């Protein structure tokens, strides 16, 4: 099938599907760094027009990363649901966009379609959409997950309470947890990024969160975001594991750079489920992603970073996760240069993840060497709230002193809930309305279990 489009008598041709997707992507630093971006805005429009005319079935006939060389590609093709795809099988990418924006695209029909779409289809249609399109479609999609709280219901906004500390000091972490709880944060998860990726440290932090949760009967789940092999070792030692975490990417080589593959995740998933620690559901996995991770590992195979990101969602949805979020501006300006690129990427990721059936959250964030500031993050935060994001981060003062980046604060979540009339997860909301939070006093919370 010819991949070209003519504008003002000039014909722009594209080598293959991979080249077409890259050239059709809205401008971003990572694709320019990789040398695969459109060379002009006119070429970008030509690519988008050619992409709009491309039948969706083309994505079932051509892999952007070779099938025989990549387990993520094999996962995408081997698990594709033809019956779910059937209602849109005759459409082009442009016609799919039109359908998504029509009254026929209801919450129910979008949920039914999700198994029939490949990540590349989702990425392709997102490249044709304006910001308002990404918001309008995503807000119709509800992906609800459960462990001790129910996350993703309409009219709800959850938060990950992120009490990171530069030395893993338990008193500092406990103080941050207290701060977040008293400001209504933590219903998605209390999740710590540890400084030390050791079994002993991971177990100690898990026991800290669990002791607080049990003492105050807090309906939430815990996670220590060590490497998944470290978490599994802690699990075997009897650590109180709720959710298992892992960063994932969209190619086999990129995942290998994280020290993970599908076989390892296949081992971890049932191990966590067999603990049966959830009381309202059994979604036990937590994945983080981010545009640029495959490129930063030199593992992108010439595929644009947004399509690589969507492919990571194929890995995530294999395991029916409790939480997935894109850490959108964390990797840096080499990949998303400024506030405009970060905003667009965050909305694309949220849209594509939801379209593929994932419970998407977003770490609305940037690094201090990017051309972005907190006003940019406020804009993205508000748009994501309007788009129905499942959860955001809650970081003390929006400044992660361990990871050294800027995110969203406990107060940002309160703003979004107030402005848009959103509420926490129902189980957590009931707990907040009880008399237990009134007894959360700093001196008692600091009475931590002795280190083992």
């Amino acid at each position: 099938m010819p991949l070209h489009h003519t504008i003002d008598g000039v014909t722009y041709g594209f080598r293959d599907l991979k080249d077409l997707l890259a050239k059709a992507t809205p401008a971003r630093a990572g694709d320019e760094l990789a040398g695969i971006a459109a060379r002009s805005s006119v070429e970008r429009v030509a690519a988008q027009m050619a992409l709009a005319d491309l039948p969706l079935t083309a994505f079932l006939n051509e892999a952007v990363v070779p099938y025989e060389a990549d387990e993520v590609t094999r996962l995408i093709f081997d698990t594709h649901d033809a019956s779910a795809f059937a209602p849109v099988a005759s459409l082009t990418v442009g016609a799919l966009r039109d359908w998504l924006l029509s009254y026929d695209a209801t919450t129910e029909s979008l949920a039914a379609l999700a198994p029939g779409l490949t990540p590349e289809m989702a990425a392709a249609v997102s490249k044709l959409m304006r910001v308002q399109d990404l918001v309008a479609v995503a807000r119709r999609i509800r992906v609800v997950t459960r462990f001790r709280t129910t996350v993703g219901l309409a009219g709800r906004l959850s938060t990950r309470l992120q009490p990171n500390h530069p030395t893993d000091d338990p008193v500092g972490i406990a103080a941050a947890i207290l701060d977040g709880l008293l400001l209504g944060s933590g219903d998605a998860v209390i999740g710590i990024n540890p400084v030390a990726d050791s079994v002993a440290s991971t177990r100690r932090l898990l026991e800290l969160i669990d002791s607080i949760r049990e003492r105050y009967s807090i309906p939430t789940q815990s996670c220590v975001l060590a490497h998944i092999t470290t978490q599994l070792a802690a699990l075997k030692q009897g650590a109180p594991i709720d959710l298992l975490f892992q960063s994932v990417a969209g190619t086999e080589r990129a995942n290998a750079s994280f020290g993970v593959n599908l076989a390892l995740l296949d081992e971890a998933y049932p191990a966590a489920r067999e603990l049966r620690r959830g009381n309202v559901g059994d979604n036990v996995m937590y994945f983080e992603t981010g545009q640029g991770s495959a490129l930063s590992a030199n593992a992108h195979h010439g595929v644009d970073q947004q399509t690589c990101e969507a492919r990571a969602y194929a890995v995530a949805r294999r395991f029916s996760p409790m939480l997935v979020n894109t850490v959108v501006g964390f990797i840096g300006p080499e990949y998303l240069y400024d506030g405009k690129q970060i905003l667009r990427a965050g909305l694309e990721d949220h849209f594509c993840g939801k379209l593929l059936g994932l419970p998407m959250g977003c770490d609305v964030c940037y690094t201090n060497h990017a051309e972005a500031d907190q006003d940019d993050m406020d804009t993205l935060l508000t748009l994501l709230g309007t788009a129905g994001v499942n959860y955001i981060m809650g970081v003390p003062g929006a400044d992660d002193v361990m990871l050294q980046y800027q995110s969203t604060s406990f107060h940002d979540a309160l703003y979004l809930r107030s402005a848009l009339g959103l509420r926490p997860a129902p189980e957590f909301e009931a707990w907040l309305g009880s008399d237990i939070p009134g007894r959360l006093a700093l001196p008692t919370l600091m009475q931590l279990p002795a280190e083992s």
Side-chain angles (χ1 to χ4, degrees):
M1 177 178 299
L3 301 175
H4 59 77
H5 188 79
T6 301
I7 296 179
D8 291 337
V10 178
T11 298
Y12 295 85
F14 308 97
R15 294 188 309 274
D16 51 23
L17 186 55
K18 177 169 64 176
D19 185 47
L20 178 64
L21 288 168
K23 297 296 194 298
T25 305
R28 64 205 54 195
D31 294 337
E32 294 172 8
L33 178 66
I36 60 175
R39 289 161 291 190
S40 69
S41 58
V42 177
E43 185 180 32
R44 180 173 296 110
V45 170
Q48 290 170 341
M49 295 296 289
L51 183 61
D53 291 337
L54 187 73
L56 289 174
T57 52
F59 294 95
L60 302 177
N61 299 320
E62 182 179 342
V64 296
V65 181
Y67 181 92
E68 62 278 4
D70 187 87
E71 67 175 4
V72 178
T73 299
R74 293 193 290 275
L75 173 66
I76 291 167
F77 277 80
D78 294 350
T79 61
H80 179 251
D81 188 330
S83 60
F85 178 63
V88 297
S90 64
L91 301 183
T92 62
V93 177
L96 175 62
R97 173 189 175 275
D98 293 342
W99 182 84
L100 289 172
L101 292 167
S102 74
Y103 292 117
D104 293 330
T106 62
T107 298
E108 294 73 22
S109 62
L110 287 165
L113 177 62
L117 295 178
T118 68
E120 291 84 354
M121 293 176 191
V125 74
S126 75
K127 297 175 193 297
L128 306 182
M129 302 179 87
R130 296 169 56 184
V131 161
Q132 65 176 250
D133 299 339
L134 297 171
V135 170
V137 176
R139 70 174 284 109
R140 297 184 204 163
I141 305 172
R142 306 311 313 182
V143 183
V144 179
T145 55
R146 297 174 173 87
F147 191 79
R148 291 193 192 95
T149 57
T150 303
V151 174
L153 293 169
R156 306 277 178 171
L157 172 71
S158 296
T159 60
R160 168 188 162 190
L161 203 171
Q162 185 171 307
N164 297 344
H165 192 279
T167 63
D168 285 345
D169 176 61
V171 174
I173 289 171
I177 292 174
L178 171 65
D179 189 23
L181 290 171
L182 292 177
L183 289 168
S185 187
D187 53 330
V189 65
I190 301 175
I192 303 170
N193 296 91
V195 175
D197 194 336
S198 69
V199 176
S201 176
T202 297
R203 183 174 178 178
R204 186 161 54 247
L205 293 174
L206 285 165
E207 290 170 349
L208 166 61
I209 305 174
D210 207 52
S211 67
I212 296 171
R213 184 188 63 78
E214 289 193 340
R215 179 166 187 165
Y216 297 104
S217 304
I218 307 167
T220 190
Q221 33 284 334
S222 62
C223 187
V224 173
L225 285 69
H227 192 271
I228 197 164
T229 54
T230 305
Q231 296 168 78
L232 286 173
L235 182 153
K236 291 176 182 177
Q237 292 184 6
I241 296 277
D242 288 343
L243 306 185
L244 278 179
F245 166 82
Q246 182 56 48
S247 294
V248 293
T251 71
E252 180 178 348
R253 277 173 27 201
N255 282 321
S257 75
F258 291 148
V260 67
N261 55 33
L262 293 178
L264 178 58
L265 296 175
D266 283 338
E267 173 191 346
Y269 179 49
R273 291 192 70 188
E274 286 167 8
L275 297 177
R276 302 184 187 279
R277 287 175 57 83
N279 58 4
V280 298
D282 62 355
N283 299 112
V284 296
M285 301 300 284
Y286 174 17
F287 296 110
E288 284 189 343
T289 65
Q291 288 193 30
S293 57
L295 176 57
S296 68
N298 194 26
H300 60 104
H301 299 270
V303 179
D304 69 273
Q305 66 182 39
Q306 192 254 331
T307 300
C308 282
E309 169 73 4
R311 284 169 54 92
Y313 303 152
V315 177
R317 72 175 173 178
R318 175 179 175 88
F319 302 100
S320 302
M322 177 73 184
L323 306 169
V324 181
N325 70 262
T326 168
V327 192
V328 64
F330 182 73
I331 303 182
E334 300 85 355
Y335 307 94
L336 296 169
Y337 178 71
D338 57 17
K340 182 174 182 176
Q341 291 189 10
I342 292 171
L343 184 148
R344 171 86 197 186
L347 294 173
E348 288 170 347
D349 296 349
H350 177 254
F351 164 84
C352 288
K354 282 281 187 71
L355 193 61
L356 293 168
L358 286 177
M360 287 301 295
C362 184
D363 190 342
V364 180
C365 63
Y366 66 101
T367 57
N368 285 317
H369 63 311
E371 290 295 320
D373 58 28
Q374 208 66 44
D375 285 345
D376 296 312
M377 298 306 103
D378 285 351
T379 303
L380 176 55
L381 174 69
T382 305
L383 286 167
L384 284 167
T386 306
V389 70
N390 279 27
Y391 70 103
I392 60 169
M393 304 301 119
V395 177
D399 184 4
D400 193 306
V401 295
M402 192 278 279
L403 293 174
Q404 298 185 7
Y405 78 117
Q406 308 304 125
S407 185
T408 46
S409 72
F410 307 136
H411 296 84
D412 291 329
L414 293 178
Y415 146 72
L416 202 58
R417 284 173 176 163
S418 174
L420 300 180
L422 303 172
R423 295 150 58 196
E427 301 85 355
F428 194 80
E429 182 180 40
W431 177 79
L432 288 172
S434 71
D435 63 350
I436 296 173
R439 298 200 303 270
L440 281 175
L442 188 61
T444 58
L445 195 58
M446 293 306 178
Q447 295 171 8
L448 306 174
E451 293 186 9
S452 58

